[in-house]
Amino acid sequence: MATDAIEVQPCSTIDASIRPPSSKSITNRALICAALAVGRSKLLQPLDSEDTRVMVDSLQRLGLKVERADDDLLVDGCGGDIPAEQAELFIENSGTSVRFLTALLTLGDGEFVIDGIPRMRERPIEDLLAALRMLGAKLDSETGCPPVSVSASGLRGGEVSIKGNISSQYLSGLLMSAPYARSPVSIVVDGELVSRPYVDMTLAIMAEFGVEVAAETSRFEVPHQKYSAREYAIEPDASAASYFWAAAAIAGGSATVEGLSRSSLQGDVGFCDLLVQMGCELEESTSGMTIRRNGKLHGIDCDMGNVSDTAQTLSVVALFADGPTTIRGIAHNRHKETDRIGNLAIELRKFGAKVDEFEDGFTVHPPQEISGATIETYDDHRMAMSLALPGLRVPGVKILDPACTGKTYPDFFEDLASIRTQA
């Protein structure tokens, strides 16, 4: 998308059925498991976006063969023996990539550096580095953020503790590489574990590739094992689905997201339950999950720690409710692509809302009349996609740098326009 800004066109109602792109979270986890597996895996319809391309590029720089076959990816696994003896990896602003690849690099034998854009150099990773050092890895970071230098000679195994309150991706990265340590790994989570559904997703994908982990609430036992290559289908992205469910809540009518159900690996399907609390109806069928709104929206008080990637989406629905909405449990959102509490509050106020910000969340007080606004996106795909939604009801909503959605959803604005024209 070449434009510097895009204006969202209002509509009267929504009557749409759509299948969003495949899940970034599942795609990047499946790529790691396939890369470490024995044999050739075929990933069916993986997400093709900036975040997954930098993962594929990094694996290729490490000497692995990853190639496209129509809409699929073929991955020749290395069986845990990373071919390259040195490499410099540049992962843009991909949080999954930096955390998963940092852990994977420690399994190699050589010198590696992993780095990203300026915002990535502000995103903490020291808790993961500390955990990997407990397993014998040699890693260095001057700031506790990327760039990270890895002097790799494998992981010895043993017991390790890791903090869980900043990002569940630290634990996921550690879990996926742990089977290739020289001895079994016991992982103890220190304190609260945020976004537990994403850890459950990691464990489920590992199991699909043949590695079983004994998981308790805060302890994980990982025996020495190897992944087995397989054919693996990637389901639609539930975080991306939230924008279309929210569109129906905001504009009225209904939106069906195809290919998702309660049995999804992604905890973000739970976003629908929050919309139900706000006054929407949820219908589940073999074709997908449908959100419908015919009446008023009500403000709610909710903990979104387990569905934090949809907190921005719910915040814009809150603009149209008949009372305040409080979102809690998302302190870790301050360390994402941008400060998804502080910067989000700045943009919501442009619509006329009063926003009370606190350490782990915020309260949105909807305005009497929502005004159009020109929205800064902070190079954050979720800021662009969520804050576009008020434009379905309010004229004059302009999104700056709309191309930032390429991180996970390159065709988002085309798809948003398509559901508007179906109205």
Side-chain angles (χ1 to χ4, degrees), residues 108-366:
D109 187 6
E111 301 294 325
F112 307 99
V113 176
I114 188 165
D115 198 3
I117 66 171
R119 173 59 182 172
M120 177 55 71
R121 291 185 169 194
E122 298 173 348
R123 300 180 69 178
I125 198 170
E126 181 59 36
D127 290 339
L128 175 59
L129 305 187
L132 290 166
R133 290 184 190 114
M134 293 181 200
L135 299 177
K138 296 179 181 179
L139 311 101
D140 182 62
S141 166
E142 292 184 3
T143 63
C145 302
V148 176
S149 299
V150 184
S151 296
S153 58
L155 294 177
R156 64 169 177 254
E159 182 165 311
V160 58
S161 64
I162 187 167
K163 292 181 180 179
N165 64 335
I166 299 296
S167 174
S168 64
Q169 292 172 4
Y170 298 160
L171 176 57
S172 287
L174 192 56
L175 282 166
M176 286 188 287
S177 292
Y180 289 88
R182 290 186 284 272
S183 62
V185 175
S186 297
I187 305 171
V188 178
V189 178
D190 180 11
E192 176 193 12
L193 175 59
V194 298
S195 302
R196 174 65 193 238
Y198 283 95
V199 175
D200 293 336
M201 174 197 295
T202 300
L203 296 173
I205 296 170
M206 291 172 67
E208 290 287 343
F209 282 84
V211 168
E212 297 291 341
V213 176
E216 299 177 5
T217 303
S218 59
R219 189 177 186 91
F220 301 83
E221 303 287 345
V222 189
H224 178 76
Q225 303 167 77
K226 288 195 174 187
Y227 295 109
S228 300
R230 59 155 298 165
E231 185 173 282
Y232 186 74
I234 314 294
E235 65 186 32
D237 194 304
S239 303
S242 74
Y243 307 119
F244 300 101
W245 289 322
I250 289 170
S254 67
T256 299
V257 175
E258 303 163 6
L260 289 176
S261 69
R262 290 284 185 183
S263 61
S264 167
L265 292 180
Q266 302 167 80
D268 280 354
V269 295
F271 177 77
C272 290
D273 296 324
L274 298 175
L275 293 180
V276 170
Q277 291 181 41
M278 296 185 79
C280 297
E281 299 174 1
L282 169 62
E283 179 183 322
E284 301 175 65
S285 67
T286 54
S287 61
M289 300 176 72
T290 301
I291 283 290
R292 182 176 292 104
R293 181 182 71 78
N294 297 313
K296 291 183 178 180
L297 289 170
H298 312 296
I300 62 173
D301 189 322
C302 57
D303 186 319
M304 296 189 71
N306 283 335
V307 290
S308 59
D309 275 349
T310 62
Q312 290 147 293
T313 321
L314 196 75
S315 76
V316 297
V317 179
L319 293 172
F320 298 87
D322 60 7
T325 293
T326 297
I327 295 172
R328 309 178 186 277
I330 58 167
H332 55 288
N333 272 20
R334 294 188 183 275
H335 307 290
K336 301 257 184 175
E337 283 81 345
T338 188
D339 179 348
R340 289 181 176 172
I341 295 177
N343 290 335
L344 177 62
I346 291 170
E347 301 309 311
L348 290 172
R349 292 180 187 121
K350 292 180 180 179
F351 293 109
K354 178 188 175 190
V355 184
D356 300 326
E357 179 186 344
F358 42 93
E359 183 180 357
D360 74 333
F362 51 86
T363 298
V364 178
H365 301 270

